Amino acid sequence: MQKHIVEKQIGGETIKIETGILGKQAAGCVLVTLRDTVVLTAVATSDPRPGIDFFPLTCDYRERTAAAGKFPGGFMKREGRPTTKETLTSRLIDRPIRPMFAPGFNDEVQIQAFVLSSDRQTDGDVLAMNGASAALTISTLPFEGPLGSVRVGKIDGKLVAFPTAEQLEFSELDLMVSGTKDAILMIEGFAREMPEDEMTEALLYAHKLIGELCDLQLELRKKVGTPATSFVSPESDGILDKLDAAYGAKLKEAKQTPGKQDRAEKCGALKAEAMAELIPDPKADDAISIGAFKTAWHDLEAKVVRQTILEGKRPDGRGGKDLRGIECAVDLLPRVHGSAMFQRGETQALVTITLGTGRDEQRVDGLFEEYSKRFMLDYNFPSFSVGECRPIRGPGRREIGHGMLAERSVNPVLPDHDTFPYTIRVISDILESNGSSSMASVCGATLGLMAAGVPITNPVAGISVGLVKEGDDWTLLTDILGDEDHFGDMDFKIAGTQNGITGIQLDLKIMGISEEIIRATLQQSREARIEILRSMLSAIQRPREATAASAPRLVRTSIDPQKIGLLIGPGGKTIRGIQEDCGVQIDVDEDGTITIAGPDQETVTAGLGRVEALTASVQVGRIYKGKVSSVKDFGAFVEILPGKDGLCHISELSDGYVASVGDICKVGDILEVKVIAVDDQDRVKLSRKAAMADAAGDAAPADSKA
């Protein structure tokens, strides 16, 4: 065993990569260390499956709670299916790696990453991303890397590399960038309405660090001594040339048919005609295989669509910066707390809003400290949205990723918890899809939140910009169609308000894009975003003043934390009694914040009154209606608040002479008394005489008071 270690200070932090001791039967295995977080990443490969016509790359990331000295939460004490965080990180590893393999390479490749040690401040995702590239770089696989990945924050106006979890709490930006030394390949970032020029500055800063990470991996490869490898793509079988000569012009014409369904029907009919001509007898000895034909036809479609776009013609006839028609509507559903529909061309999102209480928050556990989520956005993509049949098996990686992109893009404009104490759930159901349904979800979520009466600070819209690039010739496409996404080179999603960017995501099929393309894309997306916002605001201009009648009613108050025990009572008896009597739900925070929820304002007000009466502090000079709890020779004890008595001395019971306390009151009587003093021992002194005098003064005519 021979250990090889490289380390370097990058962005003010020391990154260490080592190999040679662990996982020696893998094609490549490395440990990546940052601070006290360590991630093991291994790559394995096997021969291609017979008949496969795609690159079967699988990326998996796992967080073992033992890495942070924790047990898994819940009943099961062993990790099971991947969490949302693990799924999202697996996607982050996959997206920049996939384009870095040569076309035609279809060997099975699997990348697995495990967090072995966590300091609970350094996220393992960026280490796993660098580890995947490093493991591939020292392997003999035809990987055209290396890649570097970096997380960037912005705190007090300063860009920070590899920020800690604590720093991200105060950061204006959480940006992940992957790329080669020459270009950026993948972006995933979220910001608090960051202007485009500041976002560009952050991307360029990240790319500078990426170059240093690539150098570190190349240094490791040199130490390991991995031989240079190359992959020769399979020679052409000539089917594409035959199809192009016979059907290229016809397919080009069919691809210009307006409407997704009509376009698909014409192209499908042409494909059937071509297959019948090239494969008249599939069972003949010299017959072309159906798989080879389908591959060649797909390549012909890509060639035709790309050529047409570079000639300035999009499949639906739009210009490069033109948006498809937009339709917006709110209040489509009667009993939900908010609903909206956003349609852009043939992409349609139906959004519903649910408002709940603190008990509805999502508890999230993992390597870091457990926390609660009060905002959730779930994205669903049923198969009928693209005219297909497919069983429902729960959300896949794509649905989880699209939902999180939309959720984090909208999150910066939500009101704080003190202003709007509701838990919020958004569901976006994609009912039609032809390009960028995640950005339609962002727009629909904004409309639904405003319709539900959620006081968002600014409306958010999103758009996707595509790219077709051949050599030095390239063109950008605003609001891409499904074909433009599938056959194009880029899917660059940008969401934000009129003030700046809140969410940004870049996926590429080529090996990076330049600063010029990034700047042009951000500018073009801003123009489209402003236009979309105008259309959205025509449906609803601002958040409604009140939540829907069907939504729960919430009120909040604060009590002295020392009185929490009094409110809860022995075994929870007191608080349960209030909840049952008033029909409310009461949540108590450790700092004394009380949230009372009920079906309507009347029940909430009743519950609030009970809580305030029980926990209120006695105020000198205030008049209370109290109940006589006991009578003594020297005066009467009156309960003015639940569990709080005061003494009304016999001399304070009336203006005149009182021979006996019994002449004035008996146990159970209701008396109006005024608090005249509270001594150092918290004993309350009351006066019925003073309360009567105040009442008489209030009742006197205005001129007599003068």
Side-chain angles (χ1 to χ4, degrees):
M1 293 189 295
Q2 184 176 3
K3 182 186 288 189
H4 302 286
I5 300 176
V6 293
E7 61 180 279
K8 185 176 184 179
Q9 193 170 68
I10 300 174
E13 298 291 343
T14 300
I15 307 289
K16 182 171 73 172
I17 308 176
E18 57 186 288
T19 189
I21 300 296
L22 304 177
K24 294 184 295 300
Q25 294 188 42
C29 183
V30 299
L31 283 177
V32 184
T33 302
L34 172 61
R35 305 183 185 102
D36 284 339
T37 295
V38 182
V39 177
L40 180 144
T41 308
V43 175
T45 185
S46 62
D47 294 335
R49 287 172 270 172
I52 199 168
D53 60 352
F54 65 93
F55 175 37
L57 171 66
T58 304
C59 299
D60 284 299
Y61 169 87
R62 292 292 187 272
E63 295 180 339
R64 307 284 171 75
T65 55
K70 298 173 62 178
F71 278 84
F75 180 77
M76 297 296 293
K77 296 304 176 187
R78 178 171 181 170
E79 291 83 2
R81 65 179 185 179
T83 64
T84 296
K85 168 65 167 58
E86 290 170 331
T87 299
L88 295 171
T89 302
S90 298
R91 281 171 53 86
L92 284 174
I93 297 169
D94 184 298
R95 285 158 48 197
I97 291 288
R98 191 172 291 274
M100 301 299 291
F101 286 87
F105 179 75
N106 292 336
D107 288 15
E108 192 104 25
V109 175
Q110 186 177 37
I111 301 172
Q112 297 184 36
F114 306 99
V115 181
L116 302 184
S117 173
S118 173
D119 58 13
R120 300 199 187 190
Q121 284 293 317
T122 306
D123 202 324
D125 52 7
V126 71
L127 304 189
M129 295 165 73
N130 283 290
S133 174
L136 286 166
T137 298
I138 65 171
S139 75
T140 57
L141 288 167
F143 174 64
E144 300 179 23
L147 294 173
S149 300
V150 64
R151 169 176 268 116
V152 174
K154 191 169 188 178
I155 303 170
D156 297 329
K158 183 180 178 182
L159 294 171
V160 178
F162 306 107
T164 64
E166 185 177 346
Q167 287 175 316
L168 285 173
E169 291 289 327
F170 307 98
S171 178
E172 304 168 42
L173 176 69
D174 182 4
L175 179 67
M176 293 280 278
V177 186
S178 295
T180 64
K181 293 185 68 172
D182 300 321
I184 287 176
L185 259 168
M186 191 280 297
I187 301 171
E188 179 104 0
F190 305 94
R192 298 175 183 173
E193 301 181 73
M194 180 169 285
E196 279 72 10
D197 58 344
E198 292 186 26
M199 182 63 75
T200 304
E201 179 189 3
L203 291 171
L204 297 179
Y205 172 72
H207 190 237
K208 176 179 175 294
L209 302 179
I210 283 170
E212 298 181 46
L213 287 162
C214 290
D215 289 338
L216 189 64
Q217 294 176 47
L218 290 172
E219 182 185 345
L220 180 66
R221 180 186 175 97
K222 185 176 180 180
K223 283 191 174 185
V224 172
T226 305
T229 57
S230 62
F231 173 78
V232 179
S233 297
E235 292 185 8
S236 172
D237 53 15
I239 302 175
L240 174 60
D241 294 334
K242 292 180 183 178
L243 287 173
D244 192 10
Y247 293 94
K250 294 179 182 178
L251 183 58
K252 187 174 183 179
E253 182 180 349
K255 284 291 185 182
Q256 297 298 304
T257 305
K260 178 182 178 180
Q261 296 294 341
D262 292 341
R263 187 161 55 250
E265 287 178 9
K266 283 197 175 183
C267 293
L270 193 62
K271 180 180 179 181
E273 179 186 336
M275 182 181 288
E277 181 180 332
L278 265 68
I279 317 177
D281 182 7
K283 296 182 180 179
D285 292 339
D286 60 346
I288 298 170
S289 73
I290 293 177
F293 171 84
K294 289 182 177 179
T295 299
W297 185 264
H298 177 273
D299 292 343
L300 178 61
E301 284 187 290
K303 181 178 179 180
V304 166
V305 169
R306 293 172 66 84
Q307 284 180 346
T308 306
I309 289 172
L310 288 172
E311 291 169 3
K313 300 175 184 177
R314 299 179 69 173
D316 58 359
R318 283 181 294 146
K321 294 185 177 182
D322 294 341
L323 289 165
R324 289 173 288 175
I326 294 174
E327 294 183 30
C328 305
V330 296
D331 304 329
L332 283 78
L333 305 173
R335 289 294 298 173
V336 299
H337 302 157
S339 62
M341 183 275 291
F342 178 85
Q343 179 133 19
R344 189 188 62 250
E346 294 158 309
T347 295
Q348 182 185 79
L350 177 65
V351 172
T352 55
I353 311 295
T354 307
L355 303 178
T357 68
R359 297 186 188 184
D360 298 312
E361 292 183 4
Q362 174 70 58
R363 301 297 298 176
V364 181
D365 194 16
L367 294 180
F368 295 175
E369 295 299 324
E370 183 178 293
Y371 65 95
S372 286
K373 281 181 65 176
R374 57 178 291 263
F375 174 59
M376 294 151 275
L377 194 155
D378 296 326
Y379 167 101
N380 298 313
F381 193 86
S383 56
F384 66 76
S385 65
V386 287
E388 297 178 356
C389 298
R390 188 171 62 249
I392 298 175
R393 293 287 185 265
R397 284 189 174 188
R398 177 182 176 277
E399 289 172 297
I400 292 172
H402 279 27
M404 186 57 67
L405 172 62
E407 177 181 305
R408 295 192 66 184
S409 296
V410 174
N411 189 66
V413 302
L414 293 178
D416 61 48
H417 196 250
D418 292 334
T419 303
F420 194 77
Y422 288 92
T423 298
I424 306 167
R425 185 186 182 204
V426 179
I427 301 175
S428 176
D429 289 304
I430 305 304
L431 306 185
E432 294 182 53
S433 180
N434 188 15
S436 195
S437 54
S438 62
M439 295 296 96
S441 298
V442 169
C443 300
T446 296
L447 292 170
L449 290 168
M450 291 198 292
V454 179
I456 60 174
T457 57
N458 262 320
V460 181
I463 192 63
S464 183
V465 178
L467 169 75
V468 173
K469 186 176 185 294
E470 294 288 349
D472 295 331
D473 189 15
W474 56 272
T475 185
L476 295 177
L477 306 170
T478 294
D479 185 13
I480 54 175
L481 300 171
D483 271 2
E484 293 170 336
D485 183 9
H486 184 70
F487 297 118
D489 298 318
M490 177 179 84
D491 183 5
F492 204 155
K493 302 180 180 77
I494 303 102
T497 68
Q498 61 181 348
N499 298 327
I501 295 170
T502 57
I504 182 171
Q505 184 183 87
L506 168 66
D507 288 322
L508 289 173
K509 299 188 182 85
I510 56 177
M511 294 175 60
I513 55 175
S514 64
E515 177 185 344
E516 180 187 9
I517 294 176
I518 290 174
R519 288 186 183 276
T521 302
L522 293 181
Q523 178 57 36
Q524 193 160 314
S525 70
R526 175 174 175 77
E527 294 169 3
R529 189 168 77 239
I530 298 302
E531 187 174 343
I532 294 170
L533 284 170
R534 291 194 187 101
S535 298
M536 291 167 56
L537 295 177
S538 66
I540 182 170
Q541 292 188 347
R542 60 184 61 85
R544 294 218 166 97
E545 295 295 329
T547 56
S550 57
R553 292 294 178 264
L554 300 184
V555 294
R556 304 184 82 191
T557 188
S558 295
I559 65 172
D560 185 341
Q562 295 183 356
K563 294 189 176 182
I564 291 176
L566 174 64
L567 173 61
I568 293 174
K573 179 179 179 181
T574 304
I575 196 169
R576 281 200 307 270
I578 298 174
Q579 291 180 133
E580 291 170 3
D581 292 345
C582 300
V584 296
Q585 173 185 305
I586 303 175
D587 293 320
V588 183
D589 292 339
E590 292 180 358
D591 63 355
T593 300
I594 309 296
T595 304
I596 304 170
D600 52 55
Q601 195 61 46
E602 183 179 350
T603 57
V604 167
T605 302
L608 177 63
R610 290 280 296 274
V611 170
E612 288 183 337
L614 180 65
T615 60
S617 299
V618 175
Q619 299 179 24
V620 176
R622 181 173 175 179
I623 295 176
Y624 294 87
K625 273 190 176 181
K627 186 176 184 180
V628 177
S629 56
S630 65
V631 174
K632 305 295 182 182
D633 292 340
F634 52 83
F637 285 95
V638 182
E639 185 181 34
I640 56 174
L641 292 173
K644 188 66 176 178
D645 288 351
L647 173 63
C648 186
H649 192 266
I650 190 171
S651 63
E652 296 291 339
L653 284 172
S654 179
D655 287 337
Y657 172 74
V658 178
S660 171
V661 175
D663 295 340
I664 302 297
C665 61
K666 60 182 183 296
V667 173
D669 285 352
I670 303 298
L671 296 183
E672 281 197 353
V673 290
K674 183 175 183 179
V675 178
I676 56 176
V678 178
D679 64 17
D680 294 339
Q681 299 178 22
D682 202 30
R683 293 179 298 193
V684 180
K685 297 181 180 180
L686 306 173
S687 173
R688 179 172 176 263
K689 179 170 62 176
M692 293 168 61
D694 285 359
D698 291 340
D703 57 348
S704 66
K705 289 182 180 180

